[in-house]
Amino acid sequence: MAKALGAGLRRVVRAADPVSGRLKGTEAQLAGLVERGLAFRHPRAPHGHFLTPAGHRMREEEDDARRRSGPEPEGGTSGGGTSGGGASGGVFAARAGGEEGAAGGGAARAREVRSAWLGLLELRRMSHPDGATDRPCGWERGHLVQAAALALEAAGHRPAGADAGAGGYRVRETPQPEAVAVYEAEGEALRACAATLEGAGWQVGEYTEPRTRVRYLLASPRRA
C-alpha cells in the first residue's frame, strides 16, 4: 500500500503525531489517505483526521526504512509532528530508562513529553466509545513499554541513564501478556511510580524477584 502513495501523501503520514496519529494536510491529501484506509475523519468536532492502525503501521515502516537508509535528501520531509527525544529520524520516543543521556533534555524535552502525553489522552478520548481518558487505549496495549514510560516521564519521574547505579526508573518487557516490569532502586521512588501508573489507568502490583530479591512493579493496562 505504501508504494501506491505519492511523495506528498507519504510526507503527511510521516509527519503525523507519533502517539495520537493526528494528521495535517490539505483536504485532498487527507481524503486520499481516508480512501486508502490509512486515515479516518473523527466524527466529533473539530473533525480532525487521524491514522488508522494500517496508517500507524505504514508510518513505523517508513521510519524504519529512513533509519536504515540514513538522512533523507534535502527537500524530502518537511516539519510537523512531534519531534526530538533524541530518537532517530526526529520521532518522539518515551524514555524507558537505560538510554545514553536519558536523564537530560531540559525544558525542550519537557515540552515534547507534555505534547506526547496530551496526544495520548486525545487518542484515549477518541478510542473509547464513552470518550474516557482515565484508562489506556488499544495503542497503549500494543506499545506497552513506551506507554508506561510516557506516563512516568510525563509525571516527572526520572528515567535511568546508562549507569545502572545512578537511580531512575526502567521499564522492561515481560513474558506475561499485556504487562511490563518497572524497576527503581529506591523503595519510595518505586511506590511513587506505582501511584503514577495507577492514576494513569494501569493495574499495578509490587513483587520481589526470587533470586535477586529486587523489588519491582508489574503493570498492566486497565480495561474498565
Side-chain angles (χ1 to χ4, degrees), residues 33-118:
L33 293 174
V34 171
E35 182 180 356
R36 291 165 173 80
L38 297 172
F40 69 93
R41 182 175 183 267
H42 198 274
R44 292 198 291 267
H47 305 295
H49 286 74
F50 299 83
L51 292 176
T52 62
H56 276 287
R57 286 194 298 272
M58 176 189 162
R59 185 182 188 282
E60 291 170 359
E61 291 169 359
E62 288 277 304
D63 289 338
D64 288 343
R66 290 171 66 201
R67 281 192 286 268
R68 288 193 299 268
S69 62
E72 186 170 286
E74 187 176 352
T77 303
S78 58
T82 307
S83 64
S88 299
V91 178
F92 175 86
R95 289 170 174 167
E99 303 93 337
E100 192 71 38
R109 175 67 185 181
R111 287 192 296 270
E112 291 169 354
V113 171
R114 175 172 171 76
S115 176
W117 177 247
L118 293 177

Side-chain angles (χ1 to χ4, degrees), residues 183 207-216:
Y183 297 88
Y207 300 89
T208 302
E209 291 184 346
R211 289 185 296 174
T212 64
R213 310 306 298 170
V214 170
R215 300 290 288 174
Y216 69 99

